[in-house]
Amino acid sequence: MTVSYTTNALSGRARCLNPDNINPHVKEAKYAVRGELAVKAEEYRVKLAQGDKSLPFDSVIFANIGNPQQLDQKPITFFRQVLSLLENPALLDNPEVLRTSFGYQQDVVDRAKTLLADVQSVGAYSHSQGAPIIRRSVANFIEQRDGFPANPQDLFLTAGASSGVSNILNVICSSPETGVLVPIPQYPLYTATLALLNARCVPYHLEEDKAWGTDVNAIRASLEKAKAAGTDVRSIVVINPGNPTGASLSPDDIKSVLDLAAEEKLVVMADEVYQTNVFEGEFTSFKKRLRQLQQEQPGKYDNVELVSLHSVSKGMVGECGQRGGYFELVGFDPLVTAQIYKLVSIGLCPPVIGQCLLELMVNPPKAGEPSHELYQKEYNAIRDGLHKRALALYEAFQRMEGVECQKPQGAMYLFPSITLPQKAVDAAAAENRAADEFYCLRLLDATGVCVVPGSGFGQKENTLHFRTTFLAPGTDWVERIVKFHSEFMAKYK
């Protein structure tokens, strides 16, 4: 007999689930970048698509999330050509047509054949850690980047970096007393996942007046306060380059974090998904700095546990929907690694097409190969466009009353602080809203530009911010923000 739990006004039967009996930790989790503002922005987009002329803008700019191809960033040709052959291998039976009619170069065909020889079909499960040929390519990439060896057995391919974060935190968080140090402001994936796991977020504040740098003394203070409250602090999260701040850490900053990890036995979670989005200086990975320190001071750093994460979603690739990424384990107990392998095996394997795209990202066409010239042209155009728009946005903020912003260093975001008139703060309170949330909602209603209030990422008390990407094409939408801000400030003075 089948029993229906759907609410039926005539029968009086109740559903099995209601908001009072579901997992309370799901209700506790918050994820601002896809919250109320994003929902409202999508409603406006649909209205415009349906021909609604009543709105005061003619397009919606989704500057709330790092989703490059939603904002017209074009896929890199080499990547998509290879993927097309992986999805439909029958095309390989007509190499001349591929070449003459569709412009596929020989290295595209060769790469597709190489990947298919290993994965056999993108519709088949792979090894739970990821296809061996792809893990070898990732290991080679890490070795070339850092100058130190990487072992494919230490690599776990993932459905984007987010799934890697979830898996690692699931292993680390063993009780409600487990704590993880998280930078504030932070990407809400971390606090949301900790809420789901019923573990404790231990916030440490980044230094806005020092280009959002990491202050190890502030971290130590947060750590000691948490331990005094009975929290078993096991890990520290570092996002480099930063999200939402866009800051890049120096080798000295990284050393300070590794020193603390060595002294306090903390697992370092290095979120490095923006490593190619660096405008100022050069990116230094946590793996490279750790290996350097292990050479310089034998013994001190030998047992530091590091997990570093990367993804195809960001950088110049921007293939968020393909869900590809990896994490590398360094210094972990082999028995713990075995448990991590068991955990990822429960999910069988990451998407194989995403794995293949990861291989293309870490092993792009090289100089002298047929696809290299076009690849380099497309890659550089995306990089230069991002930097140009970042500077345009930064310069616009310089013109806005009560707005201060650090010069863009990297990633895809700016995180300006805003000082609002007291009348605006009072109006927000009357709606039971944070003042920066109130500001961002009014911005969306007036301009169609969707950003995220700083309260969604965490911020120091008595400060207000918002995060915006600089992915949207053109700069006209930037002027929408400038005009709105001027009118908002005049209204609430």
Side-chain angles (χ1 to χ4, degrees):
M1 178 181 177
T2 301
V3 179
S4 172
Y5 289 95
T6 302
T7 299
N8 185 312
L10 297 177
S11 68
R13 290 176 181 167
R15 295 184 178 91
C16 171
L17 297 178
N18 63 66
D20 295 323
N21 71 3
I22 63 171
N23 183 338
H25 308 309
V26 173
K27 294 192 291 182
E28 179 71 18
K30 294 178 175 61
Y31 195 66
V33 295
R34 288 185 182 264
E36 179 186 0
L37 277 145
V39 171
K40 194 172 188 181
E42 177 60 16
E43 291 173 355
Y44 284 154
R45 186 197 67 79
V46 171
K47 283 185 176 182
L48 290 172
Q50 293 173 343
D52 191 323
K53 304 293 186 183
S54 65
L55 298 173
F57 45 85
D58 58 8
S59 65
V60 174
I61 303 295
F62 288 92
N64 60 305
I65 192 166
N67 193 11
Q69 292 187 22
Q70 183 192 40
L71 296 168
D72 293 340
Q73 180 172 309
K74 302 304 179 189
I76 288 178
T77 300
F78 178 78
F79 296 169
R80 286 299 184 91
Q81 286 181 339
V82 175
L83 295 185
S84 71
L85 299 180
L86 298 176
E87 290 281 13
N88 188 5
L91 295 173
L92 291 167
D93 296 336
N94 297 283
E96 189 62 22
V97 173
L98 291 174
R99 184 179 67 82
T100 58
S101 297
F102 299 102
Y104 283 40
Q105 302 285 357
Q106 187 60 46
D107 54 348
V108 171
V109 173
D110 293 343
R111 185 69 65 88
K113 287 181 176 179
T114 299
L115 288 168
L116 285 169
D118 189 75
V119 304
Q120 297 182 318
S121 169
V122 294
Y125 291 132
S126 74
H127 188 285
S128 291
Q129 275 184 251
I133 189 175
I134 299 173
R135 281 186 283 135
R136 282 198 298 273
S137 275
V138 175
N140 290 337
F141 159 78
I142 294 170
E143 288 184 10
Q144 292 167 13
R145 183 194 68 190
D146 296 341
F148 293 94
N151 185 347
Q153 293 304 112
D154 296 331
L155 291 163
F156 290 74
L157 308 190
T158 60
S162 299
S163 70
V165 169
S166 177
N167 283 327
I168 295 299
L169 288 178
N170 264 280
V171 171
I172 290 173
C173 298
S174 63
S175 76
E177 287 73 41
T178 301
V180 175
L181 284 156
V182 176
I184 299 298
Q186 55 93 39
Y187 179 49
L189 166 67
Y190 294 94
T191 47
T193 305
L194 290 169
L196 290 172
L197 295 171
N198 193 28
R200 298 178 183 177
C201 171
V202 181
Y204 67 91
H205 287 282
L206 302 177
E207 298 301 307
E208 184 170 8
D209 59 351
K210 297 177 182 175
W212 294 111
T214 299
D215 181 351
V216 72
N217 292 323
I219 300 174
R220 289 184 187 278
S222 294
L223 175 63
E224 293 306 318
K225 182 179 178 182
K227 289 198 294 188
T231 301
D232 175 19
V233 183
R234 292 185 165 190
S235 179
I236 180 169
V237 172
V238 186
I239 308 173
N240 181 42
N243 179 6
T245 65
S248 292
L249 297 185
S250 70
D252 287 343
D253 288 332
I254 295 171
K255 179 181 181 298
S256 296
V257 173
L258 293 172
D259 285 341
L260 181 67
E263 294 164 18
E264 299 288 343
K265 295 184 174 62
L266 299 174
V267 177
V268 179
M269 291 185 66
D271 182 332
E272 298 175 334
V273 302
Y274 297 100
Q275 60 188 260
T276 57
N277 292 107
V278 177
F279 306 137
E280 302 279 336
E282 294 183 358
F283 168 75
T284 300
S285 76
F286 268 76
K287 165 87 174 290
K288 178 179 182 177
R289 196 71 186 99
L290 176 60
R291 291 299 191 226
Q292 289 173 338
L293 292 168
Q294 288 172 335
Q295 286 184 340
E296 295 165 9
Q297 301 180 54
K300 179 177 178 180
Y301 302 92
D302 288 358
N303 292 318
V304 170
E305 296 149 286
L306 167 68
V307 53
S308 53
L309 302 109
H310 196 13
S311 168
V312 304
S313 297
K314 310 303 178 184
M316 270 39 79
V317 183
E319 294 276 9
C320 306
Q322 305 280 8
R323 311 312 299 137
Y326 73 82
F327 63 82
E328 181 186 20
L329 301 180
V330 176
F332 276 66
D333 184 318
L335 295 177
V336 173
T337 300
Q339 294 299 314
I340 294 172
Y341 175 76
K342 179 182 70 177
L343 177 60
V344 302
S345 296
I346 293 171
L348 297 172
C349 72
V352 175
I353 199 70
Q355 294 183 44
C356 292
L357 180 57
L358 175 67
E359 199 279 335
L360 302 177
M361 180 184 80
V362 300
N363 184 24
K366 296 176 176 59
E369 295 179 344
S371 295
H372 178 262
E373 184 178 351
L374 178 59
Y375 167 80
Q376 205 63 51
K377 179 181 178 182
E378 293 175 336
Y379 186 97
N380 291 343
I382 295 169
R383 181 197 62 200
D384 295 346
L386 285 173
H387 195 192
K388 179 180 178 181
R389 293 194 296 276
L391 291 175
L393 200 54
Y394 168 72
E395 288 164 4
F397 291 149
Q398 302 298 102
R399 293 187 273 131
M400 291 164 54
E401 179 187 357
V403 175
E404 295 184 11
C405 186
Q406 299 294 327
K407 189 175 180 181
Q409 297 180 55
M412 296 178 171
Y413 315 102
L414 292 178
F415 196 65
S417 68
I418 50 175
T419 301
L420 299 180
Q422 187 59 44
K423 284 184 179 179
V425 175
D426 294 342
E431 293 186 12
N432 197 28
R433 292 187 182 279
D436 49 8
E437 180 185 25
F438 176 83
Y439 176 90
C440 293
L441 279 165
R442 294 297 180 273
L443 172 66
L444 175 62
D445 291 341
T447 69
V449 178
C450 182
V451 298
V452 189
S455 49
F457 301 94
Q459 53 196 344
K460 284 187 176 179
E461 192 174 356
N462 298 320
T463 67
L464 301 171
H465 299 79
F466 65 87
R467 189 194 78 170
T468 176
T469 72
F470 39 79
L471 293 166
T475 55
D476 66 304
W477 61 277
V478 176
E479 293 305 318
R480 295 191 211 176
I481 299 175
V482 174
K483 181 175 182 290
F484 161 80
H485 184 80
S486 175
E487 292 171 352
F488 181 94
M489 297 296 281
K491 178 179 179 179
Y492 288 101
K493 273 189 174 177

